[in-house]
Amino acid sequence: MSEIEFLNWVRGPGFQIAVIIFIAGIIIRFAEILMLGRKANLAEPKGSEMSGGLHTIVSRSFPDKSTFQRSTFTVVAGYLFHIGLFVTIFLFAPHILMFKDIFGFGWPSLPTPVVDAMAVVTIIALLAVLAHRMSDTVLKFITTKEDYLVWMLTILPLVTGYMAFHRIGMTAPTLLALHILSVELLLVVFPFTKLMHGFTFALSRWYNGAISGYRGVQS
Amino acid sequence: MSSSSVVQFNIQVSADLTQNVKPLLHEIKHALDNLIETGQTTIIDLRSIPLAPGEEDHILKTLGLGEVQAKLDALGLSEIIETQYAGVWVVTHYNDENHIISRFIEITTMPEILSSQTEDIMAAYSRLAITLQDDQEKN
Amino acid sequence: MTNDFKKKKSQKEQTFGDVMRSQGVSRRSFLKFCAATASMMAMSPAMIPKIAHALENARRPSVIWLSFQECTGCTESLTRAHTATIESLIFDHISLDYHHTLQAAAGHAAEEAREAAMEENYGKYLLVVDGSIPMGNPGYSTIAGISNYDMLMETAKGAAAIIAVGTCATYGGIPHANPNPTGAVSVNDLIKDKPIINVPGCPPIPVVITGVLTHFLTFGTIPELDHLGRPKVFYGQSIHDRCYRRPFYDKGLFAETFDDEGAKKGWCLYKLGCKGPTTYNACATTKWNNGTSWPIEAGHPCLGCSEPDFWDGGGFYKSLSMPTENITQTAIYTAAGAVAAGVAIGAMNKSKKNSAIAAHDKTTIDDLEK
């Protein structure tokens, strides 16, 4: 297989397979979660589930003071790489073009050097959280093989994307193909690993908030 | 310059397209410094640099015209021009159809191609000798 | 042996320097020629003296040019190499013994010329090939009743080196495009024991063809090649990296259509499907038509014609970051199917849960007292 054939495969059938698994996986997992249902709460409601739930979805995006003081590193590095992922995935012109092709609409992009710098920051943050995880006894103890896999699959598209942009080590078609392939791997495992928190965070936060809301206490 | 290097299409060229002019001028400045310090000459092939439409003309205009303008008739025309910066020459080779085949910026005291070449001098000597001999025989 | 043939033979023993001197070309003209040659071969001007020395002593080589499944675009391109005077010197010097598009003879007479040239220069001649070779059925393309495959294999045997000119000869090209009805293959798919220089492009830039020929004629060696067998001097950098519109890519300024403000201002053509980032060729510096312009300068995205399978890349106007399949449709069908599957699996889970609840025996005080 020539490098252009490889590139054509990852842009065509490869991407198609990855998208099918990604979408089917997410929808099936959501259907399972939602249809399992919850036991009816027989206690008299003291407040609104909805307002408590919605409030928590937003409020949990910001760490409270004591959490921040307790684990400043985790919060800062975590924020950095999540924002970095958002910027590199959604605000890079070629990526927006891909979304536009699928959704039918696009949005403005950031200048390439900004995205480039952000990619470096994100890679550093991801390396830092891994180092932290491996050096902290407790964190290391609770880390599973899946966590390492997920970390690997998250940093791979960033590294390959950076290499493809700067043409490091290999020819441009190979680098671009490897970058797309790494994203496809991420898409395939996404619904079946902890990466699913990218979607389920809203459900779990809502549920936490809804319990408090029902009881009429602050969520 | 006898002919423009760029055929003008109906394409608007925005002013910020001339990004290669400054780096090239810096390169020329370095080469001049090198010529002064070590006597080493530098030749820059303008065809090896990615230039935007109009940029080559911009470079030539910036370098301007100096004191020497020589024409050479060898396998088509060549123009050897000293720019307003002494020591910086623009050498343009044309073919028989008056198309530019190559263009160099040479940073030197005099481009090599202007000097008479040893082989040609030797050929000239024997040619002249033969002519004189012929004249003698006729007389 | 006829007198004509003897004369031809003695011509072949002349060096390039002899030929130039016999034509009354001055040393100064020769230097100019060498400068133009260096520029054509994309070599540093510092190489000019070396080129002069090598050319002075270059022998007159025999060249056999074979054309297979091709459109003659490569030959058209070559004959329009812009440095007319310079090229004519080179081509006066080489002995183009067979080129069935350019030669007057045809059929068996032409084949005899090829065989004679092969015999006379066995092991020394340069073989140039344009066009792909059909492997599906030898009858798809024949010359004087000889299949392309047979002719290539026979002629390649005695060649010193092979230059594959154009995307068809280098990678199979358009005949090789999906679904490849003739079973077209490239020269280096078939020949493994000879040095092959790939000069892809659809067509290749004229001066790149002559530059590669000149390099071989001047130094008698193969230039440094990349992993696809292309000379690095011409194919060493991507179009994107050498493009004068690159600063606009970096700034995020793109032409969205062919006639919008961005297109008129000369912004980056990435969104219009430019394959510059994955294409290696010399267009950005060498340009076309006497250095006049090149596709991107003319406002059209790069098609990637010097890369393998450029015809099958999902469309010339689809940008590189876009998927080549219809992902929207895939996503909608997948979602519809997944909702049904999800509901079914959810229902199964729920009934399992309900039956587990139903089958669950509550512990009573009696049980505990047992």
PDB file of all heavy atoms in Angstrom, chain C residues 43-69:
ATOM      1  N   MET C  43      20.564  23.157  -8.998  1.00  0.00           N
ATOM      2  CA  MET C  43      21.800  23.044  -8.229  1.00  0.00           C
ATOM      3  C   MET C  43      22.290  24.418  -7.836  1.00  0.00           C
ATOM      4  O   MET C  43      21.983  25.413  -8.481  1.00  0.00           O
ATOM      5  CB  MET C  43      22.874  22.371  -9.085  1.00  0.00           C
ATOM      6  CG  MET C  43      22.688  20.877  -9.147  1.00  0.00           C
ATOM      7  SD  MET C  43      24.032  20.167 -10.042  1.00  0.00           S
ATOM      8  CE  MET C  43      23.860  18.468  -9.569  1.00  0.00           C
ATOM      9  N   SER C  44      23.068  24.450  -6.791  1.00  0.00           N
ATOM     10  CA  SER C  44      23.616  25.714  -6.325  1.00  0.00           C
ATOM     11  C   SER C  44      24.546  26.303  -7.383  1.00  0.00           C
ATOM     12  O   SER C  44      25.289  25.575  -8.036  1.00  0.00           O
ATOM     13  CB  SER C  44      24.383  25.466  -5.022  1.00  0.00           C
ATOM     14  OG  SER C  44      25.415  26.410  -4.908  1.00  0.00           O
ATOM     15  N   PRO C  45      24.519  27.627  -7.565  1.00  0.00           N
ATOM     16  CA  PRO C  45      25.417  28.257  -8.537  1.00  0.00           C
ATOM     17  C   PRO C  45      26.876  27.956  -8.241  1.00  0.00           C
ATOM     18  O   PRO C  45      27.720  28.030  -9.133  1.00  0.00           O
ATOM     19  CB  PRO C  45      25.122  29.751  -8.378  1.00  0.00           C
ATOM     20  CG  PRO C  45      23.762  29.819  -7.794  1.00  0.00           C
ATOM     21  CD  PRO C  45      23.620  28.596  -6.926  1.00  0.00           C
ATOM     22  N   ALA C  46      27.171  27.560  -7.005  1.00  0.00           N
ATOM     23  CA  ALA C  46      28.546  27.200  -6.661  1.00  0.00           C
ATOM     24  C   ALA C  46      28.995  25.962  -7.423  1.00  0.00           C
ATOM     25  O   ALA C  46      30.191  25.684  -7.525  1.00  0.00           O
ATOM     26  CB  ALA C  46      28.648  26.949  -5.158  1.00  0.00           C
ATOM     27  N   MET C  47      28.032  25.210  -7.969  1.00  0.00           N
ATOM     28  CA  MET C  47      28.345  23.981  -8.702  1.00  0.00           C
ATOM     29  C   MET C  47      28.743  24.255 -10.151  1.00  0.00           C
ATOM     30  O   MET C  47      29.153  23.338 -10.861  1.00  0.00           O
ATOM     31  CB  MET C  47      27.147  23.030  -8.687  1.00  0.00           C
ATOM     32  CG  MET C  47      26.859  22.357  -7.363  1.00  0.00           C
ATOM     33  SD  MET C  47      28.126  21.145  -6.964  1.00  0.00           S
ATOM     34  CE  MET C  47      27.698  19.823  -8.125  1.00  0.00           C
ATOM     35  N   ILE C  48      28.598  25.504 -10.615  1.00  0.00           N
ATOM     36  CA  ILE C  48      28.816  25.804 -12.037  1.00  0.00           C
ATOM     37  C   ILE C  48      30.177  25.315 -12.556  1.00  0.00           C
ATOM     38  O   ILE C  48      30.229  24.648 -13.585  1.00  0.00           O
ATOM     39  CB  ILE C  48      28.580  27.310 -12.321  1.00  0.00           C
ATOM     40  CG1 ILE C  48      27.096  27.633 -12.138  1.00  0.00           C
ATOM     41  CG2 ILE C  48      29.008  27.678 -13.748  1.00  0.00           C
ATOM     42  CD1 ILE C  48      26.743  29.096 -12.193  1.00  0.00           C
ATOM     43  N   PRO C  49      31.295  25.586 -11.849  1.00  0.00           N
ATOM     44  CA  PRO C  49      32.574  25.087 -12.366  1.00  0.00           C
ATOM     45  C   PRO C  49      32.612  23.562 -12.501  1.00  0.00           C
ATOM     46  O   PRO C  49      33.161  23.032 -13.468  1.00  0.00           O
ATOM     47  CB  PRO C  49      33.586  25.550 -11.307  1.00  0.00           C
ATOM     48  CG  PRO C  49      32.927  26.677 -10.604  1.00  0.00           C
ATOM     49  CD  PRO C  49      31.463  26.389 -10.631  1.00  0.00           C
ATOM     50  N   LYS C  50      32.024  22.861 -11.531  1.00  0.00           N
ATOM     51  CA  LYS C  50      31.994  21.399 -11.586  1.00  0.00           C
ATOM     52  C   LYS C  50      31.188  20.918 -12.787  1.00  0.00           C
ATOM     53  O   LYS C  50      31.556  19.942 -13.451  1.00  0.00           O
ATOM     54  CB  LYS C  50      31.367  20.829 -10.305  1.00  0.00           C
ATOM     55  CG  LYS C  50      32.379  20.652  -9.205  1.00  0.00           C
ATOM     56  CD  LYS C  50      31.818  19.811  -8.074  1.00  0.00           C
ATOM     57  CE  LYS C  50      32.825  19.756  -6.938  1.00  0.00           C
ATOM     58  NZ  LYS C  50      32.197  19.451  -5.664  1.00  0.00           N
ATOM     59  N   ILE C  51      30.069  21.603 -13.025  1.00  0.00           N
ATOM     60  CA  ILE C  51      29.225  21.236 -14.160  1.00  0.00           C
ATOM     61  C   ILE C  51      29.997  21.463 -15.455  1.00  0.00           C
ATOM     62  O   ILE C  51      29.976  20.623 -16.365  1.00  0.00           O
ATOM     63  CB  ILE C  51      27.913  22.053 -14.137  1.00  0.00           C
ATOM     64  CG1 ILE C  51      27.060  21.622 -12.945  1.00  0.00           C
ATOM     65  CG2 ILE C  51      27.130  21.898 -15.435  1.00  0.00           C
ATOM     66  CD1 ILE C  51      25.930  22.564 -12.626  1.00  0.00           C
ATOM     67  N   ALA C  52      30.700  22.609 -15.508  1.00  0.00           N
ATOM     68  CA  ALA C  52      31.481  22.914 -16.703  1.00  0.00           C
ATOM     69  C   ALA C  52      32.492  21.810 -16.961  1.00  0.00           C
ATOM     70  O   ALA C  52      32.631  21.318 -18.079  1.00  0.00           O
ATOM     71  CB  ALA C  52      32.182  24.259 -16.535  1.00  0.00           C
ATOM     72  N   HIS C  53      33.186  21.386 -15.909  1.00  0.00           N
ATOM     73  CA  HIS C  53      34.200  20.352 -16.053  1.00  0.00           C
ATOM     74  C   HIS C  53      33.583  19.031 -16.517  1.00  0.00           C
ATOM     75  O   HIS C  53      34.089  18.376 -17.433  1.00  0.00           O
ATOM     76  CB  HIS C  53      34.942  20.158 -14.729  1.00  0.00           C
ATOM     77  CG  HIS C  53      36.005  19.109 -14.802  1.00  0.00           C
ATOM     78  ND1 HIS C  53      37.216  19.332 -15.409  1.00  0.00           N
ATOM     79  CD2 HIS C  53      36.017  17.822 -14.389  1.00  0.00           C
ATOM     80  CE1 HIS C  53      37.936  18.226 -15.341  1.00  0.00           C
ATOM     81  NE2 HIS C  53      37.235  17.282 -14.732  1.00  0.00           N
ATOM     82  N   ALA C  54      32.477  18.656 -15.879  1.00  0.00           N
ATOM     83  CA  ALA C  54      31.831  17.380 -16.214  1.00  0.00           C
ATOM     84  C   ALA C  54      31.294  17.403 -17.639  1.00  0.00           C
ATOM     85  O   ALA C  54      31.458  16.449 -18.394  1.00  0.00           O
ATOM     86  CB  ALA C  54      30.717  17.076 -15.221  1.00  0.00           C
ATOM     87  N   LEU C  55      30.662  18.528 -18.009  1.00  0.00           N
ATOM     88  CA  LEU C  55      30.077  18.636 -19.347  1.00  0.00           C
ATOM     89  C   LEU C  55      31.154  18.586 -20.425  1.00  0.00           C
ATOM     90  O   LEU C  55      30.972  17.996 -21.481  1.00  0.00           O
ATOM     91  CB  LEU C  55      29.287  19.938 -19.468  1.00  0.00           C
ATOM     92  CG  LEU C  55      27.796  19.874 -19.182  1.00  0.00           C
ATOM     93  CD1 LEU C  55      27.185  21.241 -19.349  1.00  0.00           C
ATOM     94  CD2 LEU C  55      27.099  18.869 -20.101  1.00  0.00           C
ATOM     95  N   GLU C  56      32.269  19.215 -20.119  1.00  0.00           N
ATOM     96  CA  GLU C  56      33.399  19.257 -21.052  1.00  0.00           C
ATOM     97  C   GLU C  56      33.762  17.838 -21.499  1.00  0.00           C
ATOM     98  O   GLU C  56      34.080  17.595 -22.654  1.00  0.00           O
ATOM     99  CB  GLU C  56      34.577  19.920 -20.333  1.00  0.00           C
ATOM    100  CG  GLU C  56      35.829  20.141 -21.139  1.00  0.00           C
ATOM    101  CD  GLU C  56      35.666  21.265 -22.142  1.00  0.00           C
ATOM    102  OE1 GLU C  56      35.292  22.387 -21.746  1.00  0.00           O
ATOM    103  OE2 GLU C  56      35.911  20.999 -23.322  1.00  0.00           O
ATOM    104  N   ASN C  57      33.667  16.907 -20.538  1.00  0.00           N
ATOM    105  CA  ASN C  57      34.121  15.549 -20.824  1.00  0.00           C
ATOM    106  C   ASN C  57      32.981  14.538 -21.011  1.00  0.00           C
ATOM    107  O   ASN C  57      33.230  13.340 -21.088  1.00  0.00           O
ATOM    108  CB  ASN C  57      35.042  15.077 -19.699  1.00  0.00           C
ATOM    109  CG  ASN C  57      36.257  15.971 -19.587  1.00  0.00           C
ATOM    110  OD1 ASN C  57      37.017  16.111 -20.543  1.00  0.00           O
ATOM    111  ND2 ASN C  57      36.415  16.630 -18.455  1.00  0.00           N
ATOM    112  N   ALA C  58      31.718  15.049 -21.026  1.00  0.00           N
ATOM    113  CA  ALA C  58      30.586  14.121 -21.142  1.00  0.00           C
ATOM    114  C   ALA C  58      30.563  13.477 -22.529  1.00  0.00           C
ATOM    115  O   ALA C  58      30.808  14.135 -23.531  1.00  0.00           O
ATOM    116  CB  ALA C  58      29.287  14.869 -20.885  1.00  0.00           C
ATOM    117  N   ARG C  59      30.295  12.162 -22.549  1.00  0.00           N
ATOM    118  CA  ARG C  59      30.236  11.435 -23.822  1.00  0.00           C
ATOM    119  C   ARG C  59      28.821  11.502 -24.378  1.00  0.00           C
ATOM    120  O   ARG C  59      27.855  11.666 -23.643  1.00  0.00           O
ATOM    121  CB  ARG C  59      30.622   9.975 -23.619  1.00  0.00           C
ATOM    122  CG  ARG C  59      32.008   9.788 -23.062  1.00  0.00           C
ATOM    123  CD  ARG C  59      32.968   9.409 -24.165  1.00  0.00           C
ATOM    124  NE  ARG C  59      34.339   9.725 -23.769  1.00  0.00           N
ATOM    125  CZ  ARG C  59      35.318   9.958 -24.617  1.00  0.00           C
ATOM    126  NH1 ARG C  59      35.092   9.974 -25.910  1.00  0.00           N
ATOM    127  NH2 ARG C  59      36.531  10.213 -24.194  1.00  0.00           N
ATOM    128  N   ARG C  60      28.732  11.286 -25.673  1.00  0.00           N
ATOM    129  CA  ARG C  60      27.440  11.341 -26.335  1.00  0.00           C
ATOM    130  C   ARG C  60      26.675  10.032 -26.075  1.00  0.00           C
ATOM    131  O   ARG C  60      27.080   8.972 -26.551  1.00  0.00           O
ATOM    132  CB  ARG C  60      27.676  11.519 -27.824  1.00  0.00           C
ATOM    133  CG  ARG C  60      26.457  11.626 -28.682  1.00  0.00           C
ATOM    134  CD  ARG C  60      26.927  11.778 -30.135  1.00  0.00           C
ATOM    135  NE  ARG C  60      25.844  11.568 -31.069  1.00  0.00           N
ATOM    136  CZ  ARG C  60      25.068  12.544 -31.521  1.00  0.00           C
ATOM    137  NH1 ARG C  60      25.266  13.768 -31.122  1.00  0.00           N
ATOM    138  NH2 ARG C  60      24.105  12.271 -32.378  1.00  0.00           N
ATOM    139  N   PRO C  61      25.611  10.089 -25.328  1.00  0.00           N
ATOM    140  CA  PRO C  61      24.910   8.853 -24.997  1.00  0.00           C
ATOM    141  C   PRO C  61      23.771   8.551 -25.968  1.00  0.00           C
ATOM    142  O   PRO C  61      23.243   9.439 -26.630  1.00  0.00           O
ATOM    143  CB  PRO C  61      24.344   9.151 -23.624  1.00  0.00           C
ATOM    144  CG  PRO C  61      24.120  10.628 -23.650  1.00  0.00           C
ATOM    145  CD  PRO C  61      25.010  11.246 -24.678  1.00  0.00           C
ATOM    146  N   SER C  62      23.395   7.283 -26.035  1.00  0.00           N
ATOM    147  CA  SER C  62      22.242   6.874 -26.820  1.00  0.00           C
ATOM    148  C   SER C  62      21.023   6.833 -25.900  1.00  0.00           C
ATOM    149  O   SER C  62      21.107   6.361 -24.768  1.00  0.00           O
ATOM    150  CB  SER C  62      22.507   5.490 -27.402  1.00  0.00           C
ATOM    151  OG  SER C  62      21.307   4.931 -27.885  1.00  0.00           O
ATOM    152  N   VAL C  63      19.938   7.376 -26.373  1.00  0.00           N
ATOM    153  CA  VAL C  63      18.710   7.398 -25.572  1.00  0.00           C
ATOM    154  C   VAL C  63      17.603   6.690 -26.338  1.00  0.00           C
ATOM    155  O   VAL C  63      17.391   6.949 -27.522  1.00  0.00           O
ATOM    156  CB  VAL C  63      18.284   8.851 -25.250  1.00  0.00           C
ATOM    157  CG1 VAL C  63      16.952   8.856 -24.521  1.00  0.00           C
ATOM    158  CG2 VAL C  63      19.344   9.558 -24.432  1.00  0.00           C
ATOM    159  N   ILE C  64      16.938   5.764 -25.669  1.00  0.00           N
ATOM    160  CA  ILE C  64      15.765   5.112 -26.251  1.00  0.00           C
ATOM    161  C   ILE C  64      14.553   5.519 -25.421  1.00  0.00           C
ATOM    162  O   ILE C  64      14.563   5.399 -24.198  1.00  0.00           O
ATOM    163  CB  ILE C  64      15.930   3.574 -26.254  1.00  0.00           C
ATOM    164  CG1 ILE C  64      17.101   3.195 -27.153  1.00  0.00           C
ATOM    165  CG2 ILE C  64      14.641   2.889 -26.695  1.00  0.00           C
ATOM    166  CD1 ILE C  64      17.413   1.714 -27.175  1.00  0.00           C
ATOM    167  N   TRP C  65      13.555   6.017 -26.091  1.00  0.00           N
ATOM    168  CA  TRP C  65      12.373   6.520 -25.388  1.00  0.00           C
ATOM    169  C   TRP C  65      11.186   5.635 -25.748  1.00  0.00           C
ATOM    170  O   TRP C  65      10.831   5.524 -26.924  1.00  0.00           O
ATOM    171  CB  TRP C  65      12.115   7.977 -25.814  1.00  0.00           C
ATOM    172  CG  TRP C  65      10.972   8.643 -25.111  1.00  0.00           C
ATOM    173  CD1 TRP C  65       9.664   8.243 -25.086  1.00  0.00           C
ATOM    174  CD2 TRP C  65      11.030   9.835 -24.320  1.00  0.00           C
ATOM    175  NE1 TRP C  65       8.914   9.098 -24.330  1.00  0.00           N
ATOM    176  CE2 TRP C  65       9.720  10.090 -23.855  1.00  0.00           C
ATOM    177  CE3 TRP C  65      12.054  10.718 -23.973  1.00  0.00           C
ATOM    178  CZ2 TRP C  65       9.412  11.193 -23.058  1.00  0.00           C
ATOM    179  CZ3 TRP C  65      11.739  11.816 -23.190  1.00  0.00           C
ATOM    180  CH2 TRP C  65      10.435  12.045 -22.733  1.00  0.00           C
ATOM    181  N   LEU C  66      10.593   4.978 -24.762  1.00  0.00           N
ATOM    182  CA  LEU C  66       9.437   4.113 -25.009  1.00  0.00           C
ATOM    183  C   LEU C  66       8.171   4.756 -24.466  1.00  0.00           C
ATOM    184  O   LEU C  66       8.165   5.271 -23.353  1.00  0.00           O
ATOM    185  CB  LEU C  66       9.639   2.749 -24.339  1.00  0.00           C
ATOM    186  CG  LEU C  66      10.839   1.914 -24.790  1.00  0.00           C
ATOM    187  CD1 LEU C  66      10.892   0.621 -23.979  1.00  0.00           C
ATOM    188  CD2 LEU C  66      10.776   1.607 -26.273  1.00  0.00           C
ATOM    189  N   SER C  67       7.113   4.736 -25.268  1.00  0.00           N
ATOM    190  CA  SER C  67       5.837   5.290 -24.827  1.00  0.00           C
ATOM    191  C   SER C  67       4.804   4.174 -24.759  1.00  0.00           C
ATOM    192  O   SER C  67       4.585   3.486 -25.747  1.00  0.00           O
ATOM    193  CB  SER C  67       5.358   6.371 -25.799  1.00  0.00           C
ATOM    194  OG  SER C  67       6.296   7.419 -25.842  1.00  0.00           O
ATOM    195  N   PHE C  68       4.177   3.991 -23.603  1.00  0.00           N
ATOM    196  CA  PHE C  68       3.173   2.946 -23.450  1.00  0.00           C
ATOM    197  C   PHE C  68       1.789   3.568 -23.272  1.00  0.00           C
ATOM    198  O   PHE C  68       1.401   4.425 -24.060  1.00  0.00           O
ATOM    199  CB  PHE C  68       3.571   2.006 -22.309  1.00  0.00           C
ATOM    200  CG  PHE C  68       4.895   1.314 -22.553  1.00  0.00           C
ATOM    201  CD1 PHE C  68       5.836   1.189 -21.549  1.00  0.00           C
ATOM    202  CD2 PHE C  68       5.201   0.800 -23.803  1.00  0.00           C
ATOM    203  CE1 PHE C  68       7.054   0.556 -21.785  1.00  0.00           C
ATOM    204  CE2 PHE C  68       6.412   0.153 -24.057  1.00  0.00           C
ATOM    205  CZ  PHE C  68       7.337   0.035 -23.037  1.00  0.00           C
ATOM    206  N   GLN C  69       1.058   3.180 -22.220  1.00  0.00           N
ATOM    207  CA  GLN C  69      -0.293   3.740 -22.045  1.00  0.00           C
ATOM    208  C   GLN C  69      -0.168   5.164 -21.535  1.00  0.00           C
ATOM    209  O   GLN C  69      -0.098   5.381 -20.318  1.00  0.00           O
ATOM    210  CB  GLN C  69      -1.090   2.871 -21.070  1.00  0.00           C
ATOM    211  CG  GLN C  69      -1.431   1.507 -21.612  1.00  0.00           C
ATOM    212  CD  GLN C  69      -2.490   0.807 -20.793  1.00  0.00           C
ATOM    213  OE1 GLN C  69      -3.485   0.355 -21.317  1.00  0.00           O
ATOM    214  NE2 GLN C  69      -2.293   0.736 -19.495  1.00  0.00           N
TER     215      GLN C  69
END
